[in-house]
Each structure stands twice: as C-alpha cells, then as structure tokens.
Amino acid sequence: MSGALGGFARREWGPLFGTVRAALVTRRWRAVPMTLAAVCLTALFQVVQNQDWGYQPVQDIGSVRAEDPLWLALLRTPLSLFVPALDLPVWGALAQVLLVFGIAEICLGRWRTLGIAYLATLAGTLYARVGIALGPDSPLGLPASDARVVDTGPSAAVVGLAVYVCWRYGAYWTGGAVVVAMVVEVIVKPNLAGREHLAAIADVLVLIAVVAWRERGQEGVESRPGTRSWKPPIRS
C-alpha cells in the first residue's frame, strides 16, 4: 500500500517538486523576487486599510465592486490582486500568495505568472457584472446587492494559478481537487467570492485548452536548424 502511495506521489508531484526544489536550492529566495514583493505589498495593504486614515485610500486604488464604472474597475484590478479581504485572516492570504505565487514564479516565470493571475482576477471581476445583469433567477445570476461587495482580492488569482501549474506539471488529481473544492465552496456558501473563484477557474481552463491546442499543432513541425524544438519553453 505504501509503495502504491509513494508511486502516486512521485507521478503526481515529482516533476513539480523537483523543479521547485532545484530552484530554491540553487537560488534560494532570489528564485521568487516577484512573490516576495507580492507578499510585502499584500501585507502593506492590510496594515494600511486597517488604519482610520488608510481605509479609503486603499479602497480608491485597489478595491473593485461591480457597481463601479467599468473603466475604473479595470484600472483598479491589477492592484486588487494584493488587497486582502477585511473579513478574513490576513495570514491565510499571505500564505496562499507565498506558496502558490512562489511555485508559479519558479515553474512559469514571473511575467506569465502575473499574466495568468491578472486574467483569473479579471474573469471574476467581469463575471460579477454579468451575473448581476442576469439576476438571481438565473442559474448563473447574482442578486443586485452583490454589486456593492468587494471582489475577491488575491484568492481568485491563487486558484487560477494553482489549476494552471497543476496542468502544466501533470498534477491532474491535485488540480481536480482544487476545482472540486471550489465547487463545494459555492454549494456550501453560495456567495460572490465563490462564484468568482469558479469564473477564474473557467477562464484558466479556456487558456489551458488554447495552449494545449497550440502545442499539439506544433508537435509535427520540424525544429529550426540549431534549435531543439519549435515548442516554447515552460519558463518565460
């Protein structure tokens, strides 16, 4: 039994663990500079928004609601990735950012990590507007009161990155578990945050399908002279 579990663990997490371990052993914290900056920025926003003088400035630059004009929501969305929810423990958000952003930065590269994080967050932001327009009578709809609820902060980005990294490194059971957990979250506690997490996952699954289709199309293409393959590297 233990041998079977060990084999499963090696198949599921071996490539991912090997990549992360090699980067941390050789470069230590220099392997994740963007992640460390993200953790510090998230912690800074948490401290500032809990001050009497700091709450409104943080809201003005990094909090997104569906009732906001679209141009303003899009302007605030990049920083909204790092504004933690006021009603949740900040240590959970910091741990999620450190772990998931760190693994993604090592495995995907910093710019691809930021791009996927932004797409996942943007998917949740836009879904909230569509859901409110559909109304509570639609299966995908939301009540009008959710227009005043602040978007999820870093959690949608974390969920999207987790699913993408799991797919890229063959940890399919782990990625599936993340998806199931988010579905259960919506069933148990049907709120805006849970729905936005599912929107982020749907957005990333579409991205995965596009990337997989492009890579399948490149498998039959001969390499250029002096290069090993047409396929782009995993890291950016």
Side-chain angles (χ1 to χ4, degrees), residues 29-79:
W29 294 110
R30 295 193 305 275
V32 288
M34 183 270 293
T35 298
L36 296 179
V39 170
C40 292
L41 187 58
T42 303
L44 177 63
F45 275 136
Q46 173 67 10
V47 171
V48 172
Q49 73 178 351
N50 278 284
Q51 309 301 316
D52 292 337
W53 55 266
Y55 173 77
Q56 195 56 50
V58 171
Q59 295 295 301
D60 291 341
I61 65 174
S63 290
V64 178
R65 298 175 177 84
E67 66 179 3
D68 297 333
L70 181 58
W71 68 268
L72 182 59
L74 294 176
L75 193 62
R76 290 174 174 174
T77 296
L79 281 179

Side-chain angles (χ1 to χ4, degrees), residues 187-210:
I187 295 173
V188 174
K189 190 177 181 181
N191 57 14
L192 177 61
R195 296 286 190 92
E196 288 187 342
H197 292 162
L198 292 184
I201 289 173
D203 184 57
V204 169
L205 290 178
V206 171
L207 175 63
I208 287 171
V210 171

Side-chain angles (χ1 to χ4, degrees), residues 34 77-78 81-82 101 104-105 108-123 156-157 160-161 164 200 203-204 207 236:
M34 183 270 293
T77 296
L81 272 70
F82 310 109
F101 272 67
E105 183 175 5
L108 307 175
R110 71 189 64 167
W111 295 115
R112 191 171 299 179
T113 296
L114 282 175
I116 294 170
Y118 180 76
L119 285 176
T121 302
L122 186 60
L161 283 170
Y164 190 90
D203 184 57
V204 169
L207 175 63
S236 61

Side-chain angles (χ1 to χ4, degrees), residues 40-234:
C40 292
L41 187 58
T42 303
L44 177 63
F45 275 136
Q46 173 67 10
V47 171
V48 172
Q49 73 178 351
N50 278 284
Q51 309 301 316
D52 292 337
W53 55 266
Y55 173 77
Q56 195 56 50
V58 171
Q59 295 295 301
D60 291 341
I61 65 174
S63 290
V64 178
R65 298 175 177 84
E67 66 179 3
D68 297 333
L70 181 58
W71 68 268
L72 182 59
L74 294 176
L75 193 62
R76 290 174 174 174
T77 296
L79 281 179
S80 75
L81 272 70
F82 310 109
V83 178
L86 283 168
D87 59 340
L88 295 176
V90 68
W91 300 112
L94 294 176
Q96 288 178 359
V97 171
L98 179 62
L99 179 64
V100 177
F101 272 67
I103 291 173
E105 183 175 5
I106 290 171
C107 295
L108 307 175
R110 71 189 64 167
W111 295 115
R112 191 171 299 179
T113 296
L114 282 175
I116 294 170
Y118 180 76
L119 285 176
T121 302
L122 186 60
T125 295
L126 297 179
Y127 161 73
R129 294 170 180 272
V130 174
I132 291 167
L134 291 173
D137 295 332
S138 169
L140 298 177
L142 295 168
S145 58
D146 280 350
R148 297 186 294 274
V149 177
V150 177
D151 278 0
T152 61
S155 60
V158 164
V159 170
L161 283 170
V163 171
Y164 190 90
V165 170
C166 286
W167 167 75
R168 174 55 78 184
Y169 278 78
Y172 302 123
W173 286 98
T174 305
V178 173
V179 175
V180 170
M182 295 301 103
V183 172
V184 171
E185 177 191 23
V186 170
I187 295 173
V188 174
K189 190 177 181 181
N191 57 14
L192 177 61
R195 296 286 190 92
E196 288 187 342
H197 292 162
L198 292 184
I201 289 173
D203 184 57
V204 169
L205 290 178
V206 171
L207 175 63
I208 287 171
V210 171
V211 172
W213 174 76
R214 288 184 60 189
E215 291 183 353
R216 281 198 301 271
Q218 293 169 349
E219 285 177 356
V221 180
E222 293 183 2
S223 300
R224 288 175 177 171
T227 64
R228 291 181 295 175
S229 172
W230 284 85
K231 186 179 293 187
I234 290 175

